[in-house]
Amino acid sequence: MVRRIDVTGADGVRLAAWEFADPPKERAGSDSAGADGAGADRAPGVLLLHGLMGRASHWAPTARWLSERYRAVGLDQRGHGRSAKPADGPYTRDAYVADAEAAIEQLDLGPVTVVGHAMGALTGWQLAAKRPDLVRAVVICDMRASALGAASQREWSDWFASWPLPFATLADVRKWFGEDDPWVERPNPMRGAFYAEVMAETEDGWRPVFSRSQMLRSRATWVYDAHWEELAQVRCPALVLRGLDGELGRAEAQEMVRVLPRGQYAEVADAGHLVHYDRPEGWRAAVEPFLEQLAEDTRGDREPVAP
């Protein structure tokens, strides 16, 4: 079961949060109590934050196994999914962080483990730096701390302009993003499926549920700057995770681990930028030990120790 919960974000923006309450099918007949033996409402919280253009539903496979032991909640961030998309925004870093902060407080999730992908990972570590009382740990998935620069923003603008909108069918969406998109080096059906989830049927065909101009405005608030200083302010345990074919290189990822006071490193083979979506089994194998170690350290009432 997935339950929608409305949250009021910064500036009164309406946000859609999604609580994944059912355990995986293979555990459907088992006790659904949390890791500490308490009911699901008292289980440790996990907030799942998607990346630019994503939506909470992209976390569904992850949330299903998390819900065995945690209270897993995915947030459609402003401008995305079922959340509001105010024409005037703001789509700033402060707004995204404040929205996540509001969700944690209104849903009584804290102290929470924030699992973020790309832009959502940046929101996660900025929130951890700002509100250490709300964040127990952070999983940083395929997000760079270095500035990407003006050239990257121009490339994204050109890429958005190349989309052959509207798509006649969802099959066309899957084919273009999985095969025909110039950014695709080799056929990737999972990438096509990922983008099919962020399309909606309109009178003339299938179009994205988000505004591409708003996505560029959102991206512009973080691509020109580096984020190492905020990373160094994250005092909680943090896992930096990358796909071997993703956008975060090994050298930068390991430098991020070095900068983080309590950082750890993991990687997933045969995965690109959409690590959690492309390779769900490899993703779980990389993330679950970190969460289990965190749970053991919490139960033992001692400081987490890096492996």
Side-chain angles (χ1 to χ4, degrees):
M1 180 183 72
V2 180
R3 179 168 66 103
R4 173 174 171 166
I5 308 171
D6 287 332
V7 172
T8 302
D11 306 310
V13 172
R14 179 190 56 77
L15 304 172
W18 305 87
E19 183 166 5
F20 299 80
D22 278 353
K25 291 182 179 180
E26 63 269 20
R27 292 290 301 276
S30 66
D31 185 359
S32 60
D36 59 358
D41 59 330
R42 298 205 308 273
V46 175
L47 181 66
L48 301 157
L49 297 178
H50 60 73
L52 192 74
M53 301 182 293
R55 64 188 308 167
S57 65
H58 286 141
W59 290 111
T62 295
R64 290 190 186 104
W65 61 262
L66 281 173
S67 66
E68 293 181 304
R69 301 178 61 184
Y70 304 90
R71 184 182 175 202
V73 176
L75 181 67
D76 280 339
Q77 296 173 81
R78 62 173 58 208
H80 298 75
R82 296 289 185 88
S83 288
K85 304 167 180 64
D88 297 328
Y91 295 99
T92 63
R93 286 283 81 224
D94 286 344
Y96 281 111
V97 172
D99 286 346
E101 184 178 355
I104 293 169
E105 292 181 329
Q106 291 173 38
L107 298 175
D108 194 23
L109 283 173
V112 70
T113 296
V114 179
V115 179
H117 173 247
M119 182 188 76
L122 176 58
T123 299
W125 88 61
Q126 289 180 328
L127 176 62
K130 176 187 178 184
R131 291 291 307 272
D133 57 310
L134 288 183
V135 182
R136 184 194 307 272
V138 181
V139 176
I140 298 168
C141 179
D142 216 58
M143 179 62 189
R144 299 182 60 184
S146 299
L148 301 182
S152 173
Q153 190 72 345
R154 289 193 298 270
E155 290 172 358
W156 272 71
S157 180
D158 292 343
W159 178 58
F160 276 144
S162 74
W163 291 16
L165 298 176
F167 292 97
T169 67
L170 276 180
D172 292 327
V173 173
R174 296 187 185 96
K175 184 176 186 301
W176 195 82
F177 287 101
E179 300 179 24
D180 300 337
D181 183 350
W183 282 17
V184 175
E185 295 182 358
R186 56 182 181 274
N188 186 343
M190 293 305 294
R191 186 175 187 271
F194 181 94
Y195 282 97
E197 285 196 45
V198 295
M199 296 289 163
E201 190 171 19
T202 64
E203 291 183 357
D204 61 350
W206 292 84
R207 295 180 178 274
V209 299
F210 51 79
S211 161
R212 289 173 293 170
S213 63
Q214 288 179 356
M215 296 299 99
L216 283 174
R217 285 164 56 193
S218 172
R219 196 172 185 272
T221 66
W222 52 267
V223 297
Y224 301 113
D225 302 311
H227 306 282
W228 294 99
E229 183 176 350
E230 293 155 304
L231 196 71
Q233 295 170 10
V234 176
R235 312 305 300 181
C236 63
L239 176 68
V240 177
L241 189 152
R242 60 181 288 268
L244 293 189
D245 297 322
E247 297 178 8
L248 175 61
R250 179 181 283 112
E252 183 171 351
Q254 292 178 343
E255 179 63 13
M256 290 170 66
V257 172
R258 189 193 67 80
V259 168
L260 283 160
R262 294 156 75 178
Q264 299 180 32
Y265 174 79
E267 59 187 28
V268 179
D270 300 321
H273 179 58
L274 306 175
V275 184
H276 60 296
Y277 201 85
D278 279 343
R279 294 289 183 267
E281 292 182 359
W283 159 259
R284 178 174 182 175
V287 172
E288 201 164 27
F290 174 75
L291 298 178
E292 290 176 349
Q293 176 192 334
L294 183 67
E296 290 175 4
D297 292 337
T298 300
R299 283 194 294 269
D301 193 27
R302 57 184 172 83
E303 289 293 306
V305 178

Coordinates of all heavy atoms in Angstrom, one line a residue, residues 135-176:
V135 N 18.6 15.0 11.0 CA 19.2 14.0 10.1 C 20.1 13.1 10.9 O 21.2 13.5 11.4 CB 19.9 14.7 8.9 CG1 20.4 13.7 8.0 CG2 19.0 15.7 8.2
R136 N 19.8 11.8 10.8 CA 20.6 10.7 11.5 C 21.7 10.3 10.6 O 22.8 10.0 11.0 CB 19.7 9.5 11.8 CG 20.4 8.4 12.5 CD 19.5 7.2 12.5 NE 18.1 7.4 12.9 CZ 17.7 7.3 14.2 NH1 18.6 7.0 15.1 NH2 16.5 7.5 14.5
A137 N 21.5 10.2 9.3 CA 22.5 9.8 8.3 C 22.1 10.2 6.9 O 20.9 10.6 6.7 CB 22.7 8.3 8.4
V138 N 23.0 10.2 6.0 CA 22.7 10.6 4.6 C 23.3 9.6 3.6 O 24.5 9.1 3.8 CB 23.3 12.0 4.3 CG1 23.0 12.4 2.8 CG2 22.8 13.0 5.2
V139 N 22.6 9.2 2.6 CA 23.1 8.4 1.5 C 23.1 9.4 0.3 O 22.1 9.9 -0.1 CB 22.2 7.2 1.2 CG1 22.7 6.5 -0.1 CG2 22.2 6.3 2.4
I140 N 24.3 9.6 -0.3 CA 24.5 10.5 -1.4 C 24.8 9.7 -2.6 O 25.8 9.1 -2.8 CB 25.8 11.4 -1.1 CG1 25.5 12.2 0.2 CG2 26.1 12.3 -2.3 CD1 26.7 12.9 0.7
C141 N 23.8 9.6 -3.5 CA 23.8 8.8 -4.7 C 24.1 9.6 -5.9 O 23.3 10.5 -6.4 CB 22.5 8.0 -4.9 SG 22.5 7.0 -6.4
D142 N 25.3 9.4 -6.5 CA 25.7 10.0 -7.8 C 25.5 11.5 -7.9 O 24.9 12.0 -8.9 CB 25.0 9.2 -9.0 CG 26.0 9.1 -10.2 OD1 27.0 8.5 -10.0 OD2 25.6 9.6 -11.3
M143 N 26.0 12.2 -7.0 CA 25.9 13.7 -7.0 C 27.3 14.3 -6.8 O 27.9 13.9 -5.8 CB 24.9 14.2 -6.0 CG 24.8 15.8 -6.0 SD 24.2 16.4 -7.6 CE 24.5 18.2 -7.4
R144 N 27.7 15.2 -7.6 CA 29.0 15.8 -7.5 C 29.0 17.0 -6.6 O 28.1 17.7 -6.5 CB 29.5 16.2 -8.9 CG 29.7 15.1 -9.9 CD 30.2 15.6 -11.2 NE 31.5 16.2 -11.1 CZ 32.2 16.8 -12.1 NH1 31.6 16.8 -13.3 NH2 33.4 17.3 -11.8
A145 N 30.2 17.2 -5.9 CA 30.3 18.3 -5.0 C 31.0 19.5 -5.8 O 30.9 20.6 -5.4 CB 31.2 18.0 -3.8
S146 N 31.6 19.2 -6.9 CA 32.3 20.2 -7.7 C 31.3 21.0 -8.6 O 30.2 20.5 -8.9 CB 33.3 19.6 -8.7 OG 34.3 18.9 -7.9
A147 N 31.6 22.2 -8.9 CA 30.8 23.0 -9.8 C 30.8 22.4 -11.2 O 31.9 22.0 -11.7 CB 31.3 24.4 -9.9
L148 N 29.6 22.3 -11.9 CA 29.6 21.7 -13.2 C 29.8 22.8 -14.3 O 30.2 22.5 -15.4 CB 28.2 21.1 -13.4 CG 27.9 19.9 -12.5 CD1 26.5 19.3 -12.8 CD2 28.9 18.9 -12.5
G149 N 29.4 24.0 -14.0 CA 29.8 25.1 -14.9 C 28.7 25.5 -15.9 O 27.7 24.8 -16.1
A150 N 29.0 26.6 -16.6 CA 28.0 27.2 -17.6 C 27.9 26.3 -18.8 O 26.8 26.2 -19.3 CB 28.5 28.6 -18.0
A151 N 28.9 25.6 -19.2 CA 28.8 24.7 -20.4 C 27.8 23.6 -20.1 O 27.0 23.2 -21.0 CB 30.2 24.1 -20.7
S152 N 27.8 23.1 -18.9 CA 26.8 22.0 -18.6 C 25.4 22.5 -18.7 O 24.5 21.8 -19.2 CB 27.1 21.5 -17.1 OG 26.1 20.6 -16.7
Q153 N 25.2 23.8 -18.2 CA 23.8 24.3 -18.3 C 23.4 24.5 -19.7 O 22.2 24.3 -20.0 CB 23.8 25.6 -17.5 CG 22.4 26.2 -17.3 CD 21.5 25.4 -16.3 OE1 21.9 24.3 -15.9 NE2 20.4 26.0 -15.8
R154 N 24.3 25.0 -20.5 CA 24.0 25.1 -22.0 C 23.6 23.8 -22.6 O 22.7 23.7 -23.4 CB 25.1 25.8 -22.7 CG 25.3 27.3 -22.3 CD 26.2 28.0 -23.3 NE 27.6 27.4 -23.3 CZ 28.6 27.8 -22.5 NH1 28.3 28.8 -21.7 NH2 29.8 27.2 -22.6
E155 N 24.4 22.8 -22.3 CA 24.1 21.4 -22.8 C 22.7 20.9 -22.4 O 22.0 20.3 -23.3 CB 25.2 20.4 -22.3 CG 26.6 20.7 -22.9 CD 27.6 19.8 -22.2 OE1 27.3 19.1 -21.3 OE2 28.8 19.9 -22.6
W156 N 22.4 21.2 -21.2 CA 21.0 20.8 -20.7 C 19.9 21.5 -21.5 O 18.9 21.0 -21.8 CB 20.9 20.9 -19.2 CG 21.4 19.7 -18.5 CD1 22.7 19.3 -18.4 CD2 20.6 18.8 -17.8 NE1 22.7 18.1 -17.6 CE2 21.4 17.8 -17.2 CE3 19.2 18.7 -17.5 CZ2 21.0 16.7 -16.5 CZ3 18.7 17.6 -16.8 CH2 19.6 16.7 -16.3
S157 N 20.2 22.8 -21.7 CA 19.2 23.6 -22.4 C 19.0 23.1 -23.8 O 17.8 23.0 -24.3 CB 19.6 25.1 -22.4 OG 18.7 25.9 -23.1
D158 N 20.1 22.8 -24.5 CA 20.0 22.2 -25.8 C 19.3 20.9 -25.8 O 18.6 20.5 -26.7 CB 21.4 22.1 -26.4 CG 22.0 23.5 -26.7 OD1 21.3 24.5 -26.7 OD2 23.3 23.5 -26.9
W159 N 19.6 20.1 -24.8 CA 19.0 18.7 -24.7 C 17.5 18.8 -24.5 O 16.8 18.1 -25.2 CB 19.7 18.0 -23.5 CG 19.1 16.6 -23.3 CD1 19.1 15.6 -24.2 CD2 18.5 16.1 -22.1 NE1 18.5 14.4 -23.7 CE2 18.1 14.7 -22.4 CE3 18.2 16.6 -20.9 CZ2 17.5 13.9 -21.4 CZ3 17.6 15.8 -19.9 CH2 17.3 14.5 -20.2
F160 N 17.1 19.7 -23.7 CA 15.6 19.9 -23.5 C 15.0 20.3 -24.8 O 13.9 19.8 -25.1 CB 15.4 20.9 -22.4 CG 15.4 20.4 -21.0 CD1 15.9 21.2 -20.0 CD2 14.9 19.1 -20.7 CE1 15.9 20.7 -18.7 CE2 14.9 18.6 -19.4 CZ 15.4 19.4 -18.4
A161 N 15.6 21.1 -25.5 CA 15.1 21.6 -26.8 C 15.0 20.5 -27.8 O 14.2 20.6 -28.8 CB 15.9 22.8 -27.3
S162 N 15.8 19.5 -27.7 CA 15.8 18.4 -28.7 C 14.7 17.4 -28.5 O 14.5 16.5 -29.3 CB 17.2 17.7 -28.6 OG 17.3 16.8 -27.5
W163 N 14.0 17.4 -27.4 CA 12.9 16.4 -27.1 C 11.8 16.5 -28.2 O 11.3 17.6 -28.4 CB 12.3 16.6 -25.7 CG 13.2 16.3 -24.6 CD1 14.6 16.2 -24.6 CD2 12.8 16.1 -23.2 NE1 15.0 15.9 -23.3 CE2 14.0 15.9 -22.5 CE3 11.6 16.2 -22.6 CZ2 14.0 15.6 -21.1 CZ3 11.6 15.9 -21.2 CH2 12.7 15.7 -20.5
P164 N 11.5 15.4 -28.8 CA 10.5 15.5 -29.9 C 9.0 15.5 -29.3 O 8.3 14.5 -29.5 CB 10.8 14.2 -30.7 CG 11.3 13.3 -29.7 CD 12.1 14.1 -28.7
L165 N 8.7 16.5 -28.6 CA 7.3 16.6 -28.0 C 6.3 17.1 -29.0 O 6.6 17.9 -29.8 CB 7.4 17.6 -26.8 CG 8.3 17.2 -25.6 CD1 8.3 18.3 -24.6 CD2 7.9 15.9 -25.0
P166 N 5.0 16.6 -28.8 CA 4.6 15.6 -27.8 C 4.9 14.2 -28.4 O 5.0 14.0 -29.6 CB 3.1 15.8 -27.7 CG 2.7 16.3 -29.1 CD 3.9 17.1 -29.5
F167 N 5.1 13.2 -27.5 CA 5.2 11.8 -27.9 C 3.9 11.2 -28.2 O 2.9 11.5 -27.4 CB 5.9 11.0 -26.8 CG 7.4 11.4 -26.6 CD1 7.7 12.3 -25.6 CD2 8.4 10.9 -27.4 CE1 9.0 12.6 -25.3 CE2 9.7 11.2 -27.2 CZ 10.0 12.1 -26.1
A168 N 3.8 10.4 -29.2 CA 2.4 9.9 -29.6 C 2.0 8.8 -28.6 O 0.8 8.7 -28.3 CB 2.5 9.3 -31.0
T169 N 2.9 8.0 -28.1 CA 2.6 6.9 -27.2 C 3.7 6.8 -26.1 O 4.8 7.3 -26.3 CB 2.5 5.6 -27.9 OG1 3.8 5.2 -28.4 CG2 1.5 5.7 -29.1
L170 N 3.4 6.1 -25.0 CA 4.4 5.8 -24.0 C 5.5 4.9 -24.6 O 6.7 5.0 -24.2 CB 3.8 5.1 -22.8 CG 3.1 6.1 -21.8 CD1 2.6 5.2 -20.6 CD2 4.2 7.1 -21.3
A171 N 5.2 4.1 -25.6 CA 6.2 3.3 -26.2 C 7.2 4.2 -26.9 O 8.4 3.9 -26.9 CB 5.5 2.3 -27.2
D172 N 6.7 5.3 -27.5 CA 7.6 6.2 -28.2 C 8.5 6.9 -27.1 O 9.7 7.2 -27.4 CB 6.8 7.3 -28.9 CG 6.1 6.7 -30.1 OD1 6.7 5.8 -30.8 OD2 5.0 7.2 -30.5
V173 N 8.0 7.2 -25.9 CA 8.8 7.8 -24.9 C 9.9 6.8 -24.5 O 11.1 7.2 -24.4 CB 7.9 8.0 -23.6 CG1 8.8 8.5 -22.5 CG2 6.8 9.1 -23.9
R174 N 9.5 5.6 -24.3 CA 10.5 4.6 -23.9 C 11.6 4.4 -24.9 O 12.8 4.3 -24.6 CB 9.9 3.2 -23.6 CG 8.9 3.3 -22.4 CD 8.4 1.9 -22.1 NE 7.4 1.9 -21.0 CZ 6.1 1.9 -21.3 NH1 5.6 1.8 -22.5 NH2 5.2 1.9 -20.3
K175 N 11.2 4.4 -26.2 CA 12.2 4.2 -27.3 C 13.1 5.4 -27.4 O 14.3 5.2 -27.6 CB 11.5 4.0 -28.6 CG 12.4 3.6 -29.8 CD 11.6 3.3 -31.0 CE 12.6 2.8 -32.1 NZ 13.6 3.9 -32.5
W176 N 12.6 6.6 -27.3 CA 13.4 7.8 -27.5 C 14.4 7.9 -26.4 O 15.6 8.1 -26.7 CB 12.6 9.1 -27.6 CG 13.4 10.2 -28.2 CD1 13.6 10.4 -29.5 CD2 14.1 11.2 -27.5 NE1 14.5 11.5 -29.7 CE2 14.8 12.0 -28.4 CE3 14.3 11.5 -26.1 CZ2 15.6 13.1 -28.1 CZ3 15.1 12.6 -25.8 CH2 15.7 13.4 -26.7

